[in-house]
Structures are given as structure tokens and as C-alpha cells.
Amino acid sequence: MERKITLSEKEIPDKWYNITADMPNKPLPPLNPGTMEPIGPEALAPLFPMELIKQEVTTEKYVDIPDEVRNIYSMWRPTPVYRAYNLEKMLDTPAKIYYKYEGVSPTGSHKPNTAVPQAYYSKQEGVKKITTETGAGQWGSALSFACQHFDIECEVFMVKLSFLHKPYRKVMMNTWGATVHPSPSNETEIGRKILAENPDTTGSLGIAISEAIERAASDEHTKYALGSVLNHVKLHQTIIGQEAILQMEKAGDMPDIVIAPFGGGSNFAGLAFPFLRLNFDEGKSIRCIASEPSSCPKLTRGVFRYDFGDTAGMTPLLPMYTLGHDFVPAPIHAGGLRYHGAGVIVSQLLKDKLIEARAHDNLEVFDAGVKFAKAEGIIPAPEATHGIATAIAEAERCKREGKSETILINMCGHGNFDMKAYEDYFAGKITKHVLSQEEIDASIARLNTPLIPD
Amino acid sequence: MERKITLSEKEIPDKWYNITADMPNKPLPPLNPGTMEPIGPEALAPLFPMELIKQEVTTEKYVDIPDEVRNIYSMWRPTPVYRAYNLEKMLDTPAKIYYKYEGVSPTGSHKPNTAVPQAYYSKQEGVKKITTETGAGQWGSALSFACQHFDIECEVFMVKLSFLHKPYRKVMMNTWGATVHPSPSNETEIGRKILAENPDTTGSLGIAISEAIERAASDEHTKYALGSVLNHVKLHQTIIGQEAILQMEKAGDMPDIVIAPFGGGSNFAGLAFPFLRLNFDEGKSIRCIASEPSSCPKLTRGVFRYDFGDTAGMTPLLPMYTLGHDFVPAPIHAGGLRYHGAGVIVSQLLKDKLIEARAHDNLEVFDAGVKFAKAEGIIPAPEATHGIATAIAEAERCKREGKSETILINMCGHGNFDMKAYEDYFAGKITKHVLSQEEIDASIARLNTPLIPD
């Protein structure tokens, strides 16, 4: 059998899949933090184009993908599914391992899947400039790439830790014409305030989001774009799983387990939601596992309650698994997973036990990443190594139990811009980091946001 | 029409194409520098496995590709051919532009096409360790990747300029288990000698080759591998052009012009030789253009005579276009093109006017690279920008002349490990560099190697 299962450009799906249409319990509404009343979509209008706000709350099962978006998708999509024969052999497992490889995009990750439609709808509505945050730099790169295709200005607040670790991500964004600031920056009020309090902070996604929102809110032709967490972002990413279903059918196989790294949820949602649809519609029982870092374990050890999406408390209150909105994760290399909360859809799915979660420490994931690089050739992004670590654990379980299960991983990006992380790993500078219960308790004790009744 | 023209793994060619079988004038034999007599293949036995020596001198038109090599090729091959619709639109040209994209390999360039068979034949013959040189790091990465698949030790001498500019290439090689030294190094006699004479040298491919050869010659279980220049390397790379012919046929088109960057010749040979076969066998008149840097212009401004392949004069004398074997090119970012000579087959083809050559300065190629990145998304390696610059010049000529010619580029690699070069470009640190006639004359005047009679 061939290693790569490919599709033609004609097979790029023409609709995104909206899982909320199928969920037995719908996500609770966001709350206005002033009044504690549910807020409607109109509250998001200063920040987002109307079409994206509509997608945020739509109850339709499918949303059409505009032709112009599919056309830009075709610059790298459909992405291949690989059968990981070499990894199976290395692990001596009876499990069959496949991975959907999103690293073939121009920016090297799955992020352009939502950056392109976000820039497209912004252009349709006359937006001149888009601001955003970025962790590992993958989202910022994706938005820079998308904005330049639609001739929109792009301004990126990049978590300082990643800015320092990954200078070349900045150059990549510059190549597509974007402006990049290390966050916290002196460009915004919230940035200046945080720098005054803690000049040595390495930043966080929460802080960078606050900066980008402040900047967008101050100008009527400027909008804000988010690379994960929100419903419309997850919606756009379902292109991944829909392609993967076609590819698994083509391979004459179907996963028993679907695995993806988890930061805010778009990576996981992208691959898993279309497979969950098969559970809903066709009564399948595909296990979907979200893989998160032990140093930022909101799904496995956080609380399910209302919390802010950003550090400064500028967003509506969202019902989510969270470690607390002022929690600053340890400076692990997987910058894209250093986020305190989980998107509301994924949170509800986990609450309802329709999905699973697994945490891996910093050392375990790099062990997994190097194994994967040796076997399959591709050096994975630090974020992607989390899903690989879960897959290896499941493949080893299959070996112990003598089961030939089929595993599908979202191999969400390559590590070409993350070699500093591997350098640290080979130099023995990466040590096991698991968040202590005291730290979690202290962070959650600081929360004064509403509880969600059982 | 689709942007990407793809092939299935079954369509990976099962033979490499040997152009020497079809050349009207065969390349002159290499000479023993001591006796000035032609040398036979047995002289290469201390350095190369027998099977590669046979391929070096074979007169057969095709050489079978072993199944195990095709199997590893399938980790990334067949590579896609893209129709560069966006670039055509940006240039407003009637020309049709295609590019064969070799950057999808695990190492990000075309180099594994020969690294894999070289490691395979070495393993067959019991080799324990392979040494090599690398310029930009792409060849060293490729050999590291290939050696670990066959459990062979790999030691790389990396031109110091690239070692300093591209630290993450080193980490990539380490990930696949290789050892990497900056060259010139203290590991070899020639390295120590050069460092003593010129401690601040940025190195060159010629010096690094001398170091790797010295190391291999000193141990019977160690062989040497070369990433370009030699006939068997060019042979292996013809997988590129053979795939491209199938893809162009699938697109219902055929190039009028085939363009590839030129360092030692493997990149150019890989794409162009199979198309030259169409000229030989089917009477087509496809123009094949080699693109070199103005700072290292051996094809456009060098002399055709016998010269050494390395700086120290350890190789046989080869009949080649050369700038002189002790010529040290300016420290341009395209490390893979900083080589003083051209492989013997390409040299003979140029001498016989069966191919063309074009030089571009350092600034022109980065202008072309950024244009390409904006249009097509992929940020090209500095080496690859040379082919793009030629293609843009040809597309602009087509526009002036109102001709709708078809252009095919070897887009030999991505620039993910070359962002320092783009950073320098955006910072205005890259200036136009064209080698002066005085420098060329002085370098060639130092040569005391035999002339080739007309």
C-alpha cells in the first residue's frame, strides 16, 4: 500500500461542519461581565466582521466555503494523510498509525485554514487592518500570509518568549508584509501596565490577546482575529477532518482513535469534529483524545466555569475548562499550547464525556518528537509532539493488549522554526515539568467569575 | 485547472537516466595529477562504494533504482509540480510558469534523492561511516537523514559561513544522529593548515571537501559521499525531471524553457537532463538554462580546463568550467552555490552549446525570492531564488515579445532554515555583488593545471 493517501483539488470539501448542530447539550451562552447577562452576537461587532459573528452563533450543520477561499486553500490543500509504517515498525506495535500532515501549508501548520477565510470576510466588509496575537508564531504567520493575499494590513503581538526563541518566525511574517511586536509591548495601555508591574515577564497568549483587542477596539477600520478558541475558528478547521474521512475511506480503513494537540482547541476540533459527526450520525464510537502539556493542563486538571478569554478581562465570560485567566504557564517550547482555557465547544464536549484528554510532560513529548523524526523523516513542531506522545502511548497499549487498533494523529505542523527547542533537548536543558496542585489551586482561588451549576 | 499536478507512488520512476549515453561528445576522462594520464574507476575505490563507481562510468542509458531506495523515496516522492498562477498574474505575463517543488522532502530540498541511494549502496558494501561536506547544510541534512535509515554513522564538515548563519541546520543533522564540524576544522590536517594560514576564513565547499576526503581516506570502513558534481549524483537526481515529464504530460503541456539553480550541477542535471533526452530522442528544442550567482560565475565567466574538485588538490583533475580551485567566493547566503567548478557532464554540454547559463546578482535573486513568496506562499531557499530570477527574466521577455512560452523551474528547496538571509535582505544588508574581471583573471592565472585543446 502507498504511504501517502492523497486527494485531488476537486475533492477539497465545499462546506465546513458545525458541530454545535449535533451536540446533545449546546454550549452555554457567553456572559457580559458587567451585567452577568448572556450577550448576543452584536456585542462582538466592534472586533469581528459580521459574517464571522454569524458563523460564531449559527445553528446550521454546514456552512458554505466561498470559492475564493477554496481557491487559496488549493495552494496547499488537500493535505496528505500518511500511513506511518516506519513508526509502527519502530514501536513494534500491532496498531496502524496514520497522520494527517498539515505542515505542507506555506506557513507550516494548520493555521491558514482559518486565517484565509477570516481575511476574506474582513476584505468583503471593508476592513483595512487586522490585529492578532501569536504564541509559537504559527498563527501570526498564517494571518500575515492571508492578509497579504487580500491586501489587508496585519499587526501581530507575539508572546515575548516565542519572539526571543523564534526570531525567524518574525522574519517570515515580515516577508508577507506584517508588523510584529514582542508582547507585552509598549504599543498598548495593557502592555505598558504589565511591563511596569513585571518588566521581566515572558508574556502569555492571554496578555497578547488583550493587546491585540485593545488595538483593534481603538479604530473603526481595524478588526481583530483569533487563531483558536472561538467557534468560527473551529468551524474553519473542520476542513482537516472532512478531508481525512475521505482519505481514510480511500485507504479502506477508519480510525478507532483520533488524536490532536490541544492549545485553544482549533487543532483538535479541526481533525476530531468531523469524526465526532460520524459518532453522532452513524453511531460510530471513535475515541477523540486531546493532548495537552502537563505544565498547562486545563482539560485534565482545570475547572469548568465561566472565565475570561484574555488576561486583562476584556472578553465576554466564556463557559470553559480553565486554569484561571491570569495563569502564566511555564516557558515550554510549545508556545501554541500555553493558553489558560479551552474553547467552549470542546469544554462542553469534555464535560459530557464525548471526548477525552491526556497530558504529557515536556520531556516525554520531545522523546516522542525525536522518535517520529527518526522514523518518518519530518521533524514535528513542539505542539505536534503532544499528539504524537499520546499516539505512541496508545500504540504501546495496543501492543500490550495485542490489539490492532487504527490511530489517526493531527500532525499539525513541522518544527523547522523550532530547532532551538530540539537544540535545548539535545543539550539536556529540557526537564520534566508538571504543574503542582498548589499552583493550580492558587490560580483558581484568584478567580471571581461565576460557577456553572452541575 | 488544478494548481498542483501530482503523481501516485506507483508512478515513481524505476530507472535513473544516464545522459552520457546520449551525448554527442562524451566528457573527457579525469586525469591523475601526478602522471597526467587518464585514470580508471579503480582510482576512486578508496573513497566510494564500487556500485557508485560503476554508475560514475556506466555507458548504459538507464540504471535500475533498487526497490528499497524507491520505498524510502516514497516518504516524500513523487513531488508536486505547481502551476504558478499567482506569480503569472503578479508579473502580468503571457508565459505559463510551472515549478517542480522538491522542498517537500524531510530535509527541505532535492538532496535526499542522491543521499538515499548513496547510503543504500554503502550499506550493501559494509560501510560503517560516511563523511561529507555541506555548504548551506542541505546536503549534510540529506546525508544524515539517509544514513540513519541504514544505521550508518555520518560525519559532516560544514562550511563555517553556513555553520554560523544556519545553526539550526546543525541541530537538524543532530536530530538524525550526525556529527557536525565547522570547516575548516581542527579535525583534519588540511583544516589545521588552512586555519593556521588564515584563522578568520569563512571556509568554502572546496576546503570542506578536502577535509571530508582526508577523513575518509584514513579509515577502511569509512567512505566519502559527494552531494553534487559527480556523474552518479547527477544520475540519481534525474528522478526529478523524469517525474516532471510525466506531470507536464498530465497537464497537457510541455516546457519551452527548463530552468534550475547551479552550484555543482546536481540540481540542474536533475530537472534538465530528462528534458535534454527529449531533445536528443525526439528532436525537441527545449532550452535548458543553469542559473548561477554573479559572485561565483563559473559557467558564464569561468574557463573550460582541467582543474581539481577541491581546494587542496586531492581529487583527480576534472575537465570543467572553473574559476580556479583555490577561489573563495564572496560570503553570499546561497551557500550551496559557492563552488568554484561545474561537474564534467554539464561543462561538456555547455561547451557544446546544448545548454545555456545565466548569472544573477545577490540583490536581484532576493527580490525574486520575495516576489515568489508573496505570490506562491512558499519562501524559497537562497539557492532556489536564482532559478526564480531567471524565470522572471524569461517571463518578462515573453511579455515584451508577446509570446506565451511555457517555463518550468526547479524549485529545489524552501527557505525555512534561511530566514537570516531574508532578515539581512529586509535590513538592507544585502548588496549587489558581481565578481570583477580582475579577480577572475587573478584566480585563473594561479592555475597550473592542463588546458583542454579546442
Side-chain angles (χ1 to χ4, degrees):
Chain A
M1 206 185 85
E2 306 213 338
R3 288 181 193 269
K4 300 182 287 293
I5 305 139
T6 56
L7 300 173
S8 74
E9 291 171 24
K10 288 185 208 77
E11 293 172 284
I12 294 174
D14 58 7
K15 292 178 170 54
W16 293 299
Y17 166 59
N18 173 29
I19 196 171
T20 57
D22 288 330
M23 289 169 71
N25 297 315
K26 308 299 176 195
L28 296 168
L31 301 183
N32 177 324
T35 64
M36 295 294 170
E37 294 296 317
I39 60 164
E42 67 289 349
L44 299 170
L47 290 183
F48 299 101
M50 269 328 289
E51 188 57 35
L52 293 175
I53 295 172
K54 282 186 202 157
Q55 292 180 1
E56 189 66 18
V57 296
T58 183
T59 55
E60 296 294 319
K61 185 159 176 166
Y62 292 100
V63 174
D64 286 337
I65 305 178
D67 284 345
E68 206 166 334
V69 170
R70 287 182 80 228
N71 181 29
I72 297 184
Y73 276 172
S74 76
M75 289 174 72
W76 72 95
R77 304 206 71 86
T79 62
V81 163
Y82 278 81
R83 173 82 183 267
Y85 285 116
N86 297 2
L87 184 62
E88 291 172 17
K89 196 173 160 195
M90 179 189 273
L91 300 173
D92 186 27
T93 176
K96 287 183 280 183
I97 306 175
Y98 295 83
Y99 59 96
K100 176 77 168 163
Y101 185 42
E102 290 289 306
V104 296
S105 81
T107 68
S109 85
H110 64 298
K111 293 291 187 185
N113 296 334
T114 182
V116 170
Q118 289 196 50
Y120 169 79
Y121 293 120
S122 297
K123 186 69 181 184
Q124 297 291 102
E125 299 183 25
V127 173
K128 303 285 183 218
K129 177 174 171 177
I130 302 181
T131 66
T132 198
E133 76 292 337
T134 197
Q138 283 172 331
W139 167 241
S141 306
L143 193 69
S144 306
F145 163 77
C147 281
Q148 76 96 23
H149 270 278
F150 293 105
D151 199 21
I152 297 172
E153 203 182 325
C154 183
E155 186 175 19
V156 181
F157 293 87
M158 184 173 189
V159 176
K160 193 181 281 177
L161 181 79
S162 296
F163 190 90
L164 298 174
H165 275 186
K166 307 172 84 173
Y168 299 153
R169 274 281 170 194
K170 173 184 169 292
V171 182
M172 185 181 229
M173 296 184 245
N174 295 152
T175 304
W176 291 313
T179 307
V180 188
H181 311 292
S183 168
S185 76
N186 281 313
E187 297 285 323
T188 65
E189 271 190 48
I190 178 73
R192 286 187 292 269
K193 182 164 171 286
I194 289 169
L195 281 175
E197 286 165 7
N198 184 1
D200 296 327
T201 178
T202 51
S204 72
L205 276 171
I207 294 171
I209 292 172
S210 298
E211 291 204 277
I213 289 179
E214 180 186 322
R215 180 62 60 104
S218 68
D219 181 85
E220 64 171 323
H221 297 298
T222 301
K223 296 285 179 187
Y224 165 70
L226 196 60
S228 188
V229 181
L230 294 181
N231 301 354
H232 67 269
V233 179
K234 295 187 168 69
L235 176 78
H236 300 154
Q237 291 293 356
T238 59
I239 191 90
I240 301 173
Q242 292 186 86
E243 284 181 6
I245 289 173
L246 298 177
Q247 288 162 306
M248 293 306 294
E249 284 169 352
K250 214 166 163 179
D253 207 343
M254 195 46 68
D256 299 294
I257 312 172
V258 167
I259 297 168
F262 195 90
S266 80
N267 186 325
F268 174 77
L271 184 65
F273 285 7
F275 285 96
L276 286 170
R277 182 185 71 73
L278 300 184
N279 288 357
F280 293 133
D281 284 358
E282 301 177 15
K284 289 198 195 299
S285 49
I286 298 165
R287 294 173 58 204
C288 295
I289 309 178
S291 308
E292 64 181 7
S294 300
S295 54
C296 192
K298 59 251 182 184
L299 294 177
T300 51
R301 299 172 69 203
V303 290
F304 183 57
R305 69 188 278 176
Y306 277 101
D307 198 3
F308 293 104
D310 70 322
T311 301
M314 298 173 78
T315 69
L317 285 163
L318 303 167
M320 49 158 61
Y321 279 91
T322 181
L323 294 165
H325 62 272
D326 68 355
F327 172 74
V328 177
I332 60 166
H333 285 286
L337 309 187
R338 295 177 73 234
Y339 184 65
H340 67 276
V344 299
I345 298 177
V346 172
S347 293
Q348 189 64 50
L349 291 168
L350 183 66
K351 179 73 182 159
D352 292 340
K353 298 190 167 48
L354 295 170
I355 62 169
E356 303 169 42
R358 193 78 54 85
H360 299 280
D361 72 67
N362 208 15
L363 200 53
E364 188 183 357
V365 298
F366 277 100
D367 288 342
V370 170
K371 269 184 193 156
F372 189 90
K374 290 197 166 173
E376 296 296 316
I378 304 164
I379 300 176
E383 291 79 7
T385 60
H386 290 73
I388 294 165
T390 301
I392 289 177
E394 289 292 329
E396 286 172 345
R397 177 190 58 73
C398 286
K399 186 180 177 182
R400 284 193 306 275
E401 298 177 358
K403 286 183 181 162
S404 172
E405 295 179 18
T406 296
I407 299 169
L408 173 64
I409 317 170
N410 198 1
M411 171 49 187
C412 58
H414 63 62
N416 290 355
F417 289 85
D418 305 275
M419 297 312 290
K420 176 79 173 71
Y422 284 88
E423 190 175 36
D424 286 354
Y425 172 75
F426 291 121
K429 288 187 195 164
I430 289 180
T431 48
K432 184 168 165 160
H433 184 278
V434 176
L435 194 61
S436 74
Q437 195 56 46
E438 292 69 29
E439 287 174 278
I440 296 176
D441 292 346
S443 179
I444 288 168
R446 287 194 298 273
L447 277 179
N448 55 1
T449 54
L451 296 173
I452 297 169
D454 265 339
Chain B
M1 206 188 86
E2 307 213 335
R3 288 181 193 270
K4 299 181 287 294
I5 305 138
T6 56
L7 300 173
S8 73
E9 291 171 24
K10 288 185 207 76
E11 292 172 284
I12 294 174
D14 57 9
K15 293 177 170 54
W16 293 299
Y17 166 60
N18 173 28
I19 196 172
T20 57
D22 288 330
M23 288 169 71
N25 297 315
K26 310 300 176 194
L28 296 169
L31 301 184
N32 178 324
T35 64
M36 296 295 172
E37 294 297 315
I39 59 165
E42 68 289 348
L44 299 170
L47 290 183
F48 299 101
M50 269 329 289
E51 188 57 36
L52 293 174
I53 294 172
K54 281 186 204 158
Q55 292 180 2
E56 188 66 19
V57 296
T58 183
T59 55
E60 294 296 317
K61 186 159 176 167
Y62 292 101
V63 174
D64 286 338
I65 305 178
D67 284 346
E68 206 166 334
V69 170
R70 287 182 80 227
N71 181 29
I72 298 184
Y73 276 172
S74 77
M75 290 174 72
W76 72 95
R77 304 207 71 87
T79 62
V81 163
Y82 278 82
R83 172 82 183 265
Y85 285 115
N86 297 2
L87 183 63
E88 290 171 17
K89 197 173 158 194
M90 178 188 273
L91 299 174
D92 186 27
T93 176
K96 288 184 280 182
I97 306 175
Y98 295 83
Y99 59 96
K100 176 77 168 163
Y101 184 42
E102 290 290 306
V104 296
S105 81
T107 67
S109 86
H110 65 297
K111 293 291 186 185
N113 296 335
T114 183
V116 171
Q118 289 196 50
Y120 168 79
Y121 293 119
S122 297
K123 186 70 181 181
Q124 296 291 101
E125 300 183 23
V127 173
K128 303 287 182 215
K129 178 173 170 177
I130 303 181
T131 66
T132 199
E133 76 291 338
T134 196
Q138 283 171 330
W139 167 241
S141 306
L143 193 68
S144 306
F145 162 77
C147 281
Q148 77 97 21
H149 269 278
F150 293 104
D151 198 21
I152 297 172
E153 202 182 328
C154 181
E155 186 174 19
V156 181
F157 293 86
M158 185 173 189
V159 176
K160 192 180 280 175
L161 181 81
S162 296
F163 191 90
L164 298 173
H165 275 187
K166 307 174 85 176
Y168 298 154
R169 273 283 169 192
K170 174 185 168 292
V171 183
M172 185 181 230
M173 294 184 246
N174 294 152
T175 304
W176 291 312
T179 307
V180 188
H181 311 292
S183 168
S185 76
N186 281 313
E187 298 284 324
T188 64
E189 271 190 49
I190 179 74
R192 287 188 290 270
K193 180 163 174 286
I194 290 169
L195 282 174
E197 286 165 6
N198 185 1
D200 297 327
T201 178
T202 51
S204 71
L205 276 172
I207 294 170
I209 291 172
S210 297
E211 290 205 278
I213 288 180
E214 179 186 323
R215 180 61 60 105
S218 68
D219 179 84
E220 65 171 322
H221 298 297
T222 301
K223 295 285 179 186
Y224 165 71
L226 195 61
S228 189
V229 182
L230 294 182
N231 301 354
H232 66 270
V233 178
K234 295 188 168 69
L235 177 78
H236 300 154
Q237 292 292 356
T238 58
I239 190 89
I240 302 172
Q242 291 186 85
E243 283 181 8
I245 288 172
L246 297 177
Q247 287 163 305
M248 293 305 295
E249 284 170 352
K250 214 165 163 180
D253 207 343
M254 195 46 67
D256 299 295
I257 311 171
V258 167
I259 297 167
F262 196 90
S266 81
N267 186 327
F268 174 76
L271 185 65
F273 286 6
F275 285 96
L276 286 170
R277 183 185 69 73
L278 300 184
N279 288 358
F280 293 133
D281 284 358
E282 301 177 15
K284 289 199 195 300
S285 49
I286 299 165
R287 292 173 58 204
C288 294
I289 310 177
S291 307
E292 64 182 6
S294 299
S295 55
C296 192
K298 61 253 183 184
L299 294 177
T300 52
R301 300 171 69 202
V303 289
F304 183 57
R305 68 187 278 176
Y306 277 100
D307 198 4
F308 293 104
D310 70 323
T311 300
M314 298 173 77
T315 68
L317 285 164
L318 302 167
M320 48 158 62
Y321 278 91
T322 181
L323 294 165
H325 62 272
D326 69 354
F327 172 74
V328 177
I332 60 167
H333 286 286
L337 308 188
R338 294 178 73 234
Y339 184 66
H340 67 276
V344 298
I345 298 177
V346 172
S347 292
Q348 188 64 48
L349 291 168
L350 183 66
K351 179 73 182 160
D352 292 341
K353 297 190 167 51
L354 296 171
I355 62 170
E356 303 170 41
R358 191 78 54 85
H360 300 279
D361 73 69
N362 209 14
L363 200 54
E364 188 184 358
V365 297
F366 278 100
D367 288 344
V370 170
K371 269 184 193 156
F372 189 89
K374 291 197 166 172
E376 296 296 316
I378 303 164
I379 301 177
E383 290 79 6
T385 60
H386 290 73
I388 294 165
T390 300
I392 289 176
E394 290 292 329
E396 286 170 346
R397 177 190 56 75
C398 286
K399 186 179 177 184
R400 284 193 307 275
E401 298 177 357
K403 286 185 181 161
S404 171
E405 296 179 17
T406 296
I407 299 169
L408 173 64
I409 316 169
N410 198 1
M411 171 50 186
C412 57
H414 62 63
N416 291 353
F417 288 85
D418 305 275
M419 298 310 291
K420 175 79 174 68
Y422 284 88
E423 190 175 36
D424 286 353
Y425 173 75
F426 290 123
K429 288 186 194 163
I430 289 180
T431 49
K432 185 169 166 160
H433 184 278
V434 176
L435 193 63
S436 73
Q437 194 56 46
E438 291 70 28
E439 287 172 279
I440 295 176
D441 292 345
S443 179
I444 288 169
R446 288 195 298 273
L447 277 178
N448 55 2
T449 55
L451 296 174
I452 297 169
D454 264 339

